[in-house]
């Protein structure tokens, strides 16, 4: 069977099964099996495909028809122009989360301008946290944009952190991101202690978030941060924000295949934000920036949490569908 016929058959099977974006899925699965790029496929429609490749392709098509996400079958998803490994242990990075990166970079640039420094910011001296890192997409994308910044990335799922570490290594930023298994930010202290040895590895790059062992012992402070002298310049997070009551309305590939812990924020969905915002207030430096992704209906519940003397310059950014998607604010 040649390339064109194989693709046509795969596409027809997905279309008949009402798979969303069936053309793209059929193409991506064929590219994956053949190890080729899209240009090659369309330049070689008559090329014969090995029987074993065709068999493998139609097995993947059958799994996609049965509801497995394309990204679980190919093991990857692009985010911010970078390819991320994806497994069933992590949320598949979504295009709307790229707004978190845009807003974070914009707000850092504005802060630099206000301070009279050049707008082009390489992140020197910045200490940044990604809470609920999943695949690591936010921390890794920011680390690529800010090549001199230091990062912590937390997740409650150790399986997700394993994938995030591999993605950091794949993009050569592992020496600047320290990963912690904890609840939001509040386990950083104990996790950091448990990882004390790891935290001093690559100390030249990764240590800006950590004090030296000597100064830590002297002050009895967390190696990452503490409530008396917060150290973070930026916290970015895409927390779980879907309401459990919405579960029946989710697409099957999401509901049945993505990790529940990454999807659901609680019965309503917005339950994570109050804790996340309170902890962020305690960990950000004055002038530090918080950037949060919002669920499609989270804004009315989340915005009032910023009506306190703690926060200023609260700003909302819509996604391409016009949904308020990112809330950012500055710690006073
Ligand atoms: C919506 S996913 C976001 C993943 C990734 N940052 C992204 O944007 O694709 C939320 C992540 O938060 C993690 N998570 C859930 N509850 C958490 C908690 N209490 N503390 C830290 N992370 C948590 C999940 O394991 C999941 O990886």
């Amino acid at each position: 069977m040649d390339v064109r016929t194989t693709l046509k058959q795969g596409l027809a099977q997905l279309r008949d099964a009402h798979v969303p974006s069936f053309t793209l899925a059929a193409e991506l699965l064929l590219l994956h099996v053949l190890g080729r790029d899209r240009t090659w496929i369309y330049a070689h429609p008559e090329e014969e495909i090995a029987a074993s490749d065709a068999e493998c392709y139609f097995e993947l098509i059958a799994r996609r028809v049965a509801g497995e996400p394309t990204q679980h079958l190919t093991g990857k998803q692009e985010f911010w122009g970078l390819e991320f490994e994806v497994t069933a242990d992590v949320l598949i990075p979504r295009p709307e989360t790229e707004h978190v990166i845009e807003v974070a970079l914009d707000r850092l640039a504005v802060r630099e301008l206000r301070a009279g420094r050049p707008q082009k910011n390489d992140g020197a001296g910045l200490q940044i946290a990604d809470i609920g890192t999943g695949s690591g997409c936010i921390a890794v994308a920011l680390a690529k944009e800010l090549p001199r910044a230091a990062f912590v990335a937390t997740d409650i799922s150790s399986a997700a952190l394993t994938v995030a570490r591999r993605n950091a290594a794949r993009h050569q930023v592992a020496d600047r991101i320290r990963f912690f298994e904890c609840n939001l930010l509040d386990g950083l202290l104990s996790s950091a202690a448990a990882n004390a040895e790891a935290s001093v590895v690559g100390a030249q790059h990764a240590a800006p978030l950590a004090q030296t062992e000597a100064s830590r012992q002297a002050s009895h402070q967390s190696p990452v941060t503490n409530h008396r002298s917060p150290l973070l310049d930026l916290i970015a997070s895409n927390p779980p924000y879907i309401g459990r009551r919405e579960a029946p309305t989710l697409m099957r590939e999401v509901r049945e295949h993505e990790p529940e812990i990454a999807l659901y924020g609680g019965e309503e969905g917005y339950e994570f934000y109050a804790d996340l915002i309170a902890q962020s207030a305690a960990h950000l430096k004055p002038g530090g920036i918080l950037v949060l992704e919002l669920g499609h209906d989270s804004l009315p519940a989340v915005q009032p949490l910023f009506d306190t003397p703690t926060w200023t310059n609260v700003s909302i950014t819509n996604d391409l569908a016009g949904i308020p998607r990112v809330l950012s604010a500055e710690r006073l």
Side-chain angles (χ1 to χ4, degrees):
M1 206 185 306
D2 64 22
V3 166
R4 181 192 288 124
T5 315
T6 310
L7 185 57
K8 271 176 83 174
Q9 286 190 13
L11 197 147
Q13 290 182 27
L14 296 181
R15 186 189 51 224
D16 293 350
H18 307 290
V19 168
S21 309
F22 56 85
T23 307
L24 182 63
E27 280 179 7
L28 287 173
L29 293 176
L30 190 56
L31 301 177
H32 174 66
V33 168
L34 298 181
R36 300 284 189 173
D37 61 21
R38 185 172 274 117
T39 325
W40 184 90
I41 289 210
Y42 287 100
H44 299 83
E46 324 281 343
E47 187 101 357
E48 281 298 305
I49 288 183
S52 57
D53 283 345
E55 193 183 328
C56 179
Y57 179 61
F58 288 110
E59 272 171 23
L60 293 183
I61 291 285
R63 287 170 63 186
R64 183 68 194 92
V65 166
E68 281 187 64
T70 306
Q71 295 88 341
H72 286 183
L73 301 173
T74 62
K76 59 195 180 209
Q77 171 64 36
E78 192 179 300
F79 178 84
W80 200 252
L82 304 166
E83 188 177 283
F84 283 84
E85 177 190 341
V86 167
T87 72
D89 291 319
V90 299
L91 189 88
I92 299 165
R94 304 296 207 269
E96 54 267 29
T97 303
E98 295 189 353
H99 293 299
V100 170
I101 310 295
E102 284 164 4
V103 170
L105 294 173
D106 279 358
R107 293 213 55 151
L108 286 173
V110 167
R111 207 173 75 145
E112 292 302 288
L113 264 186
R114 282 207 319 245
R117 291 188 289 264
Q119 204 183 348
K120 181 72 194 140
N121 184 3
D122 63 7
L126 291 184
Q127 299 167 354
I128 296 173
D130 170 17
I131 310 304
T133 195
S135 64
C137 61
I138 292 177
V140 169
L142 286 174
K144 295 300 277 186
E145 293 293 331
L146 302 165
R148 296 181 66 198
F151 292 80
V152 284
T154 75
D155 206 291
I156 204 156
S157 157
S158 62
L161 286 168
T162 302
V163 177
R165 282 193 187 92
R166 283 203 294 267
N167 278 320
R170 169 189 284 226
H171 294 295
Q172 290 97 39
V173 292
D175 59 340
R176 289 187 292 120
I177 306 179
R178 292 188 299 134
F179 293 95
F180 293 98
E181 185 181 335
C182 63
N183 173 38
L184 302 178
L185 287 139
D186 68 7
L188 281 184
L189 198 144
S190 52
S191 299
N195 288 294
E197 207 156 308
S199 76
V200 292
V201 171
Q204 301 297 64
H205 303 288
L209 280 185
Q211 299 165 288
T212 64
E213 189 64 35
S215 69
R216 185 162 72 241
Q217 281 173 3
S219 61
H220 303 288
Q221 290 172 345
S222 156
V224 176
T225 179
N226 72 80
H227 290 230
R228 272 171 299 154
S229 61
L231 289 174
L232 294 166
D233 295 278
L234 171 74
I235 297 175
S237 183
N238 172 19
Y241 56 57
I242 299 173
R244 281 204 176 266
R245 61 186 174 81
E246 286 182 76
T249 68
L250 296 178
M251 290 201 302
R252 180 170 64 144
E253 42 271 77
V254 176
R255 189 179 56 243
E256 292 179 4
H257 292 277
E258 297 206 68
E260 288 200 359
I261 200 162
L263 297 175
Y264 302 115
E267 198 49 30
E268 299 301 322
Y270 50 72
E271 287 86 341
F272 266 86
Y273 289 100
D275 245 13
L276 186 49
I277 293 163
Q279 288 198 28
S280 298
H283 287 77
L284 281 171
K285 291 175 184 171
I289 297 159
L290 175 60
V291 182
L292 294 177
E293 182 165 329
L294 301 175
H296 69 96
D297 58 356
S298 308
L299 187 62
V302 178
Q303 195 160 17
L305 300 171
F306 288 88
D307 292 342
T308 71
T310 313
W311 298 101
T312 184
N313 289 332
V314 178
S315 158
I316 315 295
T317 305
N318 288 356
D319 66 17
L320 298 177
I323 295 167
R325 185 58 71 186
V326 178
L327 186 150
S328 57
E330 188 178 322
R331 174 80 168 92
L332 272 172

